[in-house]
Amino acid sequence: MELKFIDGIRAYHVRLSRRYTLEAIISIFVLFALSLTLIVLELFTEIDLKVPFYRLFIWITLYVGLFLFIVIYFPLRYQKLQNALNAEFFKRASAVKIDLIPNPLGGTKFDYNSLLKAAGISVPLTGIKTIARYEFTKRLFHVLYFNDGEKESAIIHLPMKESPYYLQINNGNFAPPEQYEGTPIVKIAYVSPYNLQYYATSSATNAKIYLRKEIETRFVKFLKIYDAKYQYVATYTDEFLKVEGLSSPLRLRLGGRYNNERYARRLASLRLLQSLMLAMLERGK
């Protein structure tokens, strides 16, 4: 099934790319033929194109039209076919159990500099490179990709996932904020076979129970899905999963030429991303 998907989307990709190239060649040929026709008319017919005003008007109109055609039509056409390729990829991918739906608009725009800083999640000074937006099981996810100087990493953001506490679990060198919205953050002493570090707001005893029941359960699933360093943070309004070494799925460019491995790698990256998102949505025990 997977090989059938790869062969199908690759063939569709080639077909769209050839269509764009053919349209460009035909358009250039038509414009060249029009220019040649005007030259022939001027040199070999009795039509008085040598009157300066009409000759200047014709040539200016021709080349202004040519310029506008090149700088407006072709980029728009390229983007339309690029969008068609992306849409077809995800449409066909549903047959191999990829249920992510790309959402280029993404709804609410977030001030991630402030949001991440408040949550105690640090991003390198180079900042976020790209933001991918998906809909999955009718929930909106934003995936922020950044480079820490050695490798690409990602932060999966699940908006509107309410929690009554600030909670964090990590298995690396991640530091929580001293407080969140005025409430102090404290380290919780739990013994874990995964060497996890636990943090919660100190204002409620129930936070510790919720931390162990909900957040730890999901965190263990992350480790089983993909071996990496994680920082999992739940604030009052959002959830964030920072994953070191999680690179962005390789985007298919309309003009690119790829072998089957490129399509397979993109599929595998999306499947991993989807698995982590699903774990973020699952309830604890």
Side-chain angles (χ1 to χ4, degrees), residues 78-93:
Y78 184 95
Q79 190 58 50
K80 182 177 180 179
L81 293 177
Q82 177 70 65
N83 292 341
L85 174 61
N86 293 337
E88 187 68 17
F89 180 93
F90 282 95
K91 179 181 177 181
R92 292 173 181 250

Side-chain angles (χ1 to χ4, degrees), residues 7-284:
D7 289 340
I9 194 63
R10 184 180 183 186
Y12 183 80
H13 186 179
V14 170
R15 189 160 65 250
L16 285 187
S17 181
R18 287 176 177 172
R19 180 189 301 177
Y20 180 78
T21 302
L22 181 62
E23 288 178 2
I25 292 173
I26 291 174
S27 299
I28 292 172
F29 176 79
V30 169
L31 290 167
F32 175 77
L34 179 60
S35 299
L36 186 61
T37 300
L38 287 172
I39 293 172
V40 170
L41 285 173
E42 185 171 358
L43 295 178
F44 302 105
T45 68
E46 296 180 357
I47 299 176
D48 189 9
L49 293 177
K50 293 184 179 181
V51 177
F53 172 78
Y54 291 107
R55 183 173 60 187
L56 183 63
F57 175 78
I58 290 172
W59 284 105
I60 289 177
T61 301
L62 172 66
Y63 287 108
V64 168
L66 172 62
F67 175 79
L68 292 176
F69 186 82
I70 291 174
V71 302
I72 296 177
Y73 175 80
F74 279 112
L76 291 176
R77 183 59 173 160
Y78 184 95
Q79 190 58 50
K80 182 177 180 179
L81 293 177
Q82 177 70 65
N83 292 341
L85 174 61
N86 293 337
E88 187 68 17
F89 180 93
F90 282 95
K91 179 181 177 181
R92 292 173 181 250
S94 63
V96 288
K97 299 182 179 180
I98 298 295
D99 298 317
L100 295 177
I101 301 172
N103 185 346
L105 298 179
T108 305
K109 305 298 181 182
F110 296 95
D111 179 5
Y112 279 112
N113 288 330
S114 300
L115 206 59
L116 295 176
K117 183 178 179 181
I121 302 174
S122 62
V123 177
L125 294 177
T126 52
I128 299 163
K129 293 173 60 178
T130 57
I131 300 177
R133 299 175 174 89
Y134 300 99
E135 183 182 311
F136 178 56
T137 64
K138 298 183 180 180
R139 296 298 303 272
L140 178 66
F141 282 87
H142 289 195
V143 187
L144 293 65
Y145 293 101
F146 60 93
N147 196 300
D148 62 5
E150 297 181 358
K151 58 184 178 299
E152 191 174 43
S153 297
I155 297 171
I156 303 174
H157 174 210
L158 174 58
M160 297 176 290
K161 184 69 180 295
E162 295 184 1
S163 168
Y165 321 102
Y166 173 96
L167 307 168
Q168 180 185 152
I169 297 181
N170 69 65
N171 63 338
N173 188 25
F174 301 105
E178 292 183 2
Q179 59 181 16
Y180 185 79
E181 294 190 359
T183 305
I185 308 298
V186 297
K187 188 171 184 177
I188 309 299
Y190 282 138
V191 177
S192 166
Y194 301 98
N195 295 318
L196 306 181
Q197 300 182 73
Y198 302 81
Y199 300 89
T201 46
S202 62
S203 59
T205 303
N206 289 339
K208 300 178 182 180
I209 301 173
Y210 191 85
L211 177 72
R212 201 72 188 263
K213 178 182 178 182
E214 292 287 338
I215 305 302
E216 184 191 63
T217 300
R218 294 177 206 152
F219 200 98
V220 171
K221 289 180 181 178
F222 300 149
L223 293 173
K224 292 179 179 179
I225 292 168
Y226 179 61
D227 185 19
K229 294 295 184 183
Y230 291 96
Q231 182 184 19
Y232 190 33
V233 176
T235 69
Y236 302 150
T237 55
D238 303 87
E239 283 189 6
F240 302 93
L241 179 64
K242 184 177 182 180
V243 192
E244 288 190 349
L246 183 66
S247 58
S248 59
L250 300 169
R251 188 181 178 190
L252 302 179
R253 302 288 180 180
L254 180 65
R257 294 290 183 271
Y258 310 120
N259 56 25
N260 283 3
E261 183 183 356
R262 175 67 174 252
Y263 298 93
R265 287 172 61 194
R266 176 168 171 76
L267 196 63
S269 295
L270 289 169
R271 183 170 285 124
L272 171 58
L273 187 62
Q274 179 174 285
S275 297
L276 293 172
M277 290 178 178
L278 182 61
M280 290 178 73
L281 291 171
E282 290 179 350
R283 296 187 60 83

